[in-house]
Amino acid sequence: MIEGLKFREIDGERLIVAVVCDENKNVLMVAFMNEEALKKTLETGYMHYYSTSRKKLWKKGEESGNYQKLIKVYADCDKDCLLFIVKQHGNACHEGYYSCFHYKLENGKFVLTEEYYK
Amino acid sequence: MIEGLKFREIDGERLIVAVVCDENKNVLMVAFMNEEALKKTLETGYMHYYSTSRKKLWKKGEESGNYQKLIKVYADCDKDCLLFIVKQHGNACHEGYYSCFHYKLENGKFVLTEEYYK
């Protein structure tokens, strides 16, 4: 695998945080990868993640058609987080929004908004 | 605390992933927060995190002067990740770069670059 990457113990699995942005720098989603998910992503050029709830690898868009074509990969200084730039097909969020970040904190509560990525 | 937020078991602590962007949508860094770090951030308007290596709360910029003034907070659909928009004073990265994401994957290795946020 890639030398120097630091996976953490997250919900009982060895995972690394994956931040996913489009080409316009909108943060689309954050998910986790195990080594296999990262390998599949780099091999196929399409984003794969590890689901902590279903406890298995999944290819983004496999069911929804909203797959993500990998463009570039960056890592942070600690090599414990990856930043993926992707071409998003359709919406990133399973709730039908372009980005998963469609809640904004206002007066102590999260309210629905799409202002961040509009 | 804020209703509905999901903290995960990360390296033995109850933490939530914090993605931090500037006003131009550059991803500056990714860190973790425990409930106290989130509370301090919202109360003071300056970013606080939980260090998994030092096992304690820290205020970003406390030693370096490179503090981050909070502008807005978003959450994702699962409420298990927070996106903070901040005004970054100086550099976000302790290695002297504006963003922590100054490595790019090229031919299977991470090489130093500042192209992402330039």
Side-chain angles (χ1 to χ4, degrees):
Chain A
M1 210 48 187
I2 303 161
E3 215 180 329
L5 279 188
K6 286 183 211 150
F7 287 71
R8 286 175 185 272
E9 192 77 19
I10 299 176
D11 289 347
E13 309 278 347
R14 296 301 294 173
L15 303 174
I16 195 163
V17 176
V19 178
V20 187
C21 290
D22 69 10
E23 293 158 287
N24 297 318
K25 296 196 171 182
N26 292 301
V27 180
L28 298 175
M29 58 184 276
V30 171
F32 298 101
M33 287 182 168
N34 60 3
E35 285 224 9
E36 192 190 359
L38 177 56
K39 198 172 165 225
K40 284 262 186 190
T41 295
L42 299 178
E43 277 176 6
T44 65
Y46 286 90
M47 298 303 293
H48 289 70
Y49 306 104
Y50 181 81
S51 167
T52 56
S53 55
R54 289 176 289 152
K55 298 206 171 293
K56 64 169 199 172
L57 184 87
W58 60 290
K59 181 185 177 182
K60 175 73 182 169
E62 200 168 34
E63 289 178 19
S64 64
N66 295 340
Y67 56 89
Q68 298 171 325
K69 186 160 173 45
L70 179 60
I71 299 172
K72 290 184 219 170
V73 189
Y74 299 96
D76 70 350
C77 48
D78 293 333
K79 305 255 178 68
D80 67 348
C81 183
L82 296 171
L83 171 59
F84 295 90
I85 312 300
V86 305
K87 181 165 177 50
Q88 174 67 50
H89 292 259
N91 295 318
C93 183
H94 71 291
E95 293 181 0
Y97 298 94
Y98 179 62
S99 161
C100 290
F101 289 92
H102 53 72
Y103 289 104
K104 185 186 178 189
L105 190 62
E106 283 183 4
N107 304 315
K109 285 189 180 169
F110 282 106
V111 295
L112 196 58
T113 176
E114 291 179 77
E115 67 166 38
Y116 166 67
Y117 49 94
K118 281 281 155 87
Chain B
M1 210 48 187
I2 303 160
E3 215 181 330
L5 279 188
K6 287 183 212 152
F7 288 71
R8 286 174 185 271
E9 192 78 18
I10 298 176
D11 289 349
E13 309 277 349
R14 296 299 295 173
L15 303 173
I16 194 163
V17 177
V19 178
V20 186
C21 290
D22 69 9
E23 293 158 287
N24 297 319
K25 296 196 172 182
N26 291 301
V27 181
L28 299 175
M29 58 185 278
V30 171
F32 298 100
M33 289 181 168
N34 60 4
E35 285 223 8
E36 191 190 358
L38 178 55
K39 198 172 163 225
K40 284 260 187 194
T41 296
L42 298 179
E43 275 175 9
T44 65
Y46 286 91
M47 299 303 293
H48 289 70
Y49 305 104
Y50 180 83
S51 166
T52 56
S53 54
R54 291 177 287 150
K55 297 206 172 291
K56 65 169 196 171
L57 184 87
W58 61 290
K59 181 185 176 182
K60 175 72 183 170
E62 200 167 33
E63 290 178 19
S64 63
N66 294 340
Y67 55 88
Q68 297 171 326
K69 187 160 172 45
L70 179 60
I71 299 173
K72 290 183 220 172
V73 189
Y74 298 96
D76 69 349
C77 48
D78 293 334
K79 306 256 178 66
D80 66 349
C81 182
L82 296 171
L83 170 60
F84 295 91
I85 312 300
V86 305
K87 181 164 176 53
Q88 174 67 48
H89 292 260
N91 295 316
C93 183
H94 71 291
E95 293 181 359
Y97 299 93
Y98 179 62
S99 161
C100 291
F101 289 91
H102 51 72
Y103 290 105
K104 186 186 177 189
L105 190 62
E106 283 182 5
N107 303 315
K109 285 188 179 167
F110 282 106
V111 297
L112 196 58
T113 177
E114 293 179 76
E115 67 164 38
Y116 166 67
Y117 49 94
K118 285 280 156 87

